[in-house]
Amino acid sequence: MRRNTIGLVFLIILLVVLNAGCGYFRGNGENLNPGGNSPGNEEENGAGLVDEEGYTRVKVLAQIGDGTLQDPAGIAINAAGDIYVSDAAAHRIYRYNSAGELEEEIGSAGEGPGEFEQPGALALDAAGNIYIADIGNNRVQVLDPEGHFLRQVGNREEFSSFFSSQDDYDTPLGGIAATGSGGLYLTLKGAYYDITDNQLRKYSPEGRLDLKLGSVLEGTIDLVPFTWPEALAVDKKGTVYMAHGANGVGKIIVIPMEGNTPVAEEILQFGNLGKGKGEFMHTPAGICVDGQGDIYVSDTHNDRIQVFDSNGRWLLMFNLKDTKEGELSNPGPLTLDKEGNLYVVDRGKARILRLADPVHHGSVG
């Protein structure tokens, strides 16, 4: 009898321990707690508790560009930690060192090589070459690591089919992403008031058009429906991540690739209209992917960042409410450094924020 009682007590204790530990396994993403936010650990890892709305508290490591930037529109970081930021209002690219100190200004307003009109999205290849969506000039410019002009991709004539016949809309360039070998992905947005094409394109390092996927709001779809594509990212496996939106609903499309061919049966989509967990308002303006496959998205019109796992399951979100740095305002492009710190183009406040790795230093409710 005594032996049975001891066995029963041991079983109860074991069940209690296992149940308490379940919240620390990744599972369905809802109970993830990678930051280990146990009492007394918040200050050490920079994390705080999730609030009643489900927002994670994250640590701001630095603000970059205060007083210099007018309208930051793109960001990229090279292997040395240098931070490149495009400024659509100043028509130039700023290069900051890893400490956030301004080191160089690249380009000026104009139409010539190395000149810009409303530069937007930025990307870097493995060699450190700089790719800039020169939106007002309807082209992508490619510069070497020192900022010297190498070539351009596209022009006004090539992209004229995206222009509007009703409202003089003629700036279709959206997001860009560079492959390690110098290939270029580019999103092109149709006009808002016309039923015009939207496209995802891939160009070879030599400028050859290797892939063109189109979608019309009410018409032909090549592979998967999308409209007004904006942010774009490519991971080390070559998988493409694209943000788009229509009728107020923002969505993320994940497209695995085999060379220049999409793997149609493995395409993933996620996102619904709203302000709750995993929901977006309109087109997200920023997207990036970390080494574990977690997907960071600027939920621009909800003034927050959301993070999803590689299967599109919601992990966490944050908006910097009640911090000394102030809330996010119209957050745009995102990127990560080699330490996993997240850089946010906080466009509404004309600044760049460097945040401690939100997944491993934040918490999830």
Side-chain angles (χ1 to χ4, degrees):
M1 184 73 171
R2 177 181 176 84
R3 180 176 300 174
N4 290 339
T5 302
I6 293 174
L8 179 61
V9 171
F10 176 80
L11 179 60
I12 292 172
I13 293 173
L14 179 61
L15 290 173
V16 170
V17 170
L18 287 175
N19 183 63
C22 285
Y24 290 88
F25 290 95
R26 189 158 189 142
N28 62 8
E30 295 181 354
N31 293 315
L32 176 67
N33 191 3
N37 287 310
S38 56
N41 196 37
E42 291 88 346
E43 185 176 350
E44 178 183 344
N45 64 19
L49 298 177
V50 174
D51 68 18
E52 64 276 5
E53 296 180 89
Y55 285 94
T56 293
R57 184 175 299 168
V58 295
K59 184 176 183 179
V60 179
L61 299 176
Q63 295 189 67
I64 299 167
D66 277 351
T68 301
L69 297 172
Q70 300 177 53
D71 184 15
I75 188 167
I77 300 176
N78 67 14
D82 293 327
I83 307 158
Y84 294 86
V85 180
S86 60
D87 193 312
H91 309 293
R92 66 190 62 189
I93 311 300
Y94 293 107
R95 181 175 65 84
Y96 300 86
N97 62 25
S98 58
E101 301 164 333
L102 181 61
E103 295 279 358
E104 183 182 12
E105 298 181 11
I106 301 171
S108 59
E111 301 177 357
E115 297 177 336
F116 306 103
E117 180 68 28
Q118 299 175 32
L122 286 179
L124 301 174
D125 63 20
N129 295 315
I130 312 163
Y131 298 71
I132 305 106
D134 189 6
I135 294 173
N137 287 320
N138 286 291
R139 63 186 178 183
V140 175
Q141 291 199 63
V142 186
L143 311 181
D144 69 15
E146 286 71 46
H148 303 127
F149 177 82
L150 293 176
R151 65 184 185 276
Q152 78 173 49
V153 178
N155 53 52
R156 182 175 174 82
E157 181 179 1
E158 180 179 350
F159 300 142
S160 61
S161 63
F162 298 90
F163 300 166
S164 173
S165 61
Q166 298 185 33
D167 61 358
D168 297 323
Y169 175 90
D170 60 356
T171 53
L173 271 69
I176 62 174
T179 67
S181 60
L184 171 69
Y185 282 94
L186 169 67
T187 57
L188 293 161
K189 299 175 287 187
Y192 288 95
Y193 302 108
D194 290 350
I195 307 302
T196 51
D197 201 14
N198 300 271
Q199 286 186 8
L200 169 66
R201 293 188 176 190
K202 183 184 180 185
Y203 293 88
S204 72
E206 299 75 33
R208 180 183 65 250
L209 182 58
D210 285 338
L211 172 69
K212 182 170 66 174
L213 296 177
S215 178
V216 179
L217 182 60
E218 297 177 5
T220 305
I221 297 169
D222 287 343
L223 182 65
V224 61
F226 61 89
T227 50
W228 307 313
E230 186 71 26
L232 195 61
V234 178
D235 66 17
K236 292 181 179 180
K237 296 179 181 178
T239 300
V240 177
Y241 303 78
M242 179 173 64
H244 73 109
N247 300 322
V249 183
K251 287 189 176 293
I252 305 300
I253 300 177
V254 182
I255 308 175
M257 301 287 295
E258 289 184 356
N260 295 321
T261 303
V263 184
E265 62 273 17
E266 295 182 11
I267 289 177
L268 170 69
Q269 297 188 66
F270 59 91
N272 292 298
L273 176 65
K275 296 179 177 294
K277 298 175 181 179
E279 297 175 337
F280 305 110
M281 297 292 290
H282 307 292
T283 304
I287 188 168
C288 67
V289 185
D290 68 17
Q292 289 72 48
D294 294 326
I295 306 164
Y296 299 71
V297 180
S298 284
D299 187 4
T300 306
H301 300 282
N302 280 325
D303 293 322
R304 64 187 182 185
I305 308 297
Q306 298 200 64
V307 187
F308 303 81
D309 72 10
S310 58
N311 295 310
R313 294 176 294 191
W314 182 88
L315 294 179
L316 62 87
M317 60 187 180
F318 61 88
N319 58 9
L320 303 185
K321 183 179 179 180
D322 297 327
T323 66
K324 65 179 181 180
E325 292 82 13
E327 294 188 56
L328 296 171
S329 175
N330 199 30
L334 305 170
T335 194
L336 294 153
D337 64 20
K338 59 185 179 182
E339 282 79 33
N341 298 316
L342 179 69
Y343 292 71
V344 180
V345 176
D346 194 16
R347 199 163 185 178
K349 294 186 176 179
R351 62 182 179 175
I352 307 299
L353 295 173
R354 177 164 58 210
L355 308 175
D357 176 353
V359 170
H360 296 96
H361 292 85
S363 55
V364 177

